[in-house]
Amino acid sequence: MMKLIGKSASINVRKVLWTSAELGLELQREEQPDLASAAFKALNPNALVPVLIDDGFVLWESNTICRYLVNREQRHDLLPADPQARARVEQWIDWQAGEFNNAWRYAFMGLVRGSAAHQDPVQIAASVAAWHRHIGILAARLEATGAYVAGEAFTLADIPLGLSVHRWRAAPLPDRPVLPSIDAYLRRLGERPGFVRYGLDGGP
């Protein structure tokens, strides 16, 4: 059985757990690793979760782990074999990891996690504005597709984005815009047991 290391409060761990649920995979869990230990750093020198171990093969970076699992199970409905269709899915996965994550990080740490190092009101306001702006980009894309981020069908891209959208909805943000396409997207995702367990019931 594959082993997943990392606490389920982490949004990046929950990406892997939701992906595993979509694939019907059971993972052995290590919920509370000692990130500072030499043993863990030997697995991931960044000292971050998640880490996946598959019969001695060690892998870190959450989006890479999700891609690996989908490829391992040959689920081309989630990550297409066609180069252009696959690129569209991966484009939105990479956008979530880069542009979107960087937009909300400061505001989330300050407003939700209560981090003492993230209490500058100017930086919080800038992060909130950037968070809303990026949600607007996603909302426009969902209006165009009428369903999911890569098109009419649910794909791997909707897992990291779905968790990120839920985080935006759950966070105590000022001036939150009304975005019907985002509301409809969350309702569609709410029909998937993996999202209910690791998104709606998993925390922001």
Side-chain angles (χ1 to χ4, degrees), residues 1-2 15-28 69-70 72-75 77-78 154 159 192-194 197-198:
M1 180 180 289
M2 288 182 286
K15 290 179 193 176
V16 179
L17 292 171
W18 182 4
T19 300
S20 300
E22 294 289 341
L23 299 173
L25 294 174
E26 293 187 16
L27 303 177
Q28 181 185 350
L69 292 175
V70 170
R72 183 183 185 274
E73 301 304 305
Q74 298 187 22
R75 285 288 300 274
D77 57 319
L78 297 177
F154 177 88
I159 291 178
R192 309 190 77 86
R197 183 173 181 182
Y198 300 114

Side-chain angles (χ1 to χ4, degrees), residues 128-137 139 168-169 173-183:
V128 168
W131 201 350
H132 290 336
R133 182 170 63 83
H134 283 80
I135 279 286
I137 292 172
W168 174 79
R169 175 62 71 195
L173 301 179
D175 304 318
R176 193 192 323 271
V178 176
L179 299 170
S181 64
I182 293 292
D183 295 338

Side-chain angles (χ1 to χ4, degrees), residues 2 14 28 34 40 50 63 92 96-97 100 102 129 134 136 143-144 150 166 177 187-188:
M2 288 182 286
R14 285 186 277 129
Q28 181 185 350
D34 181 358
F40 185 80
N63 287 342
W92 286 102
Q96 182 275 337
F100 198 14
N102 288 330
H134 283 80
E143 288 173 9
H166 170 61
R187 287 194 295 271
R188 281 189 290 274

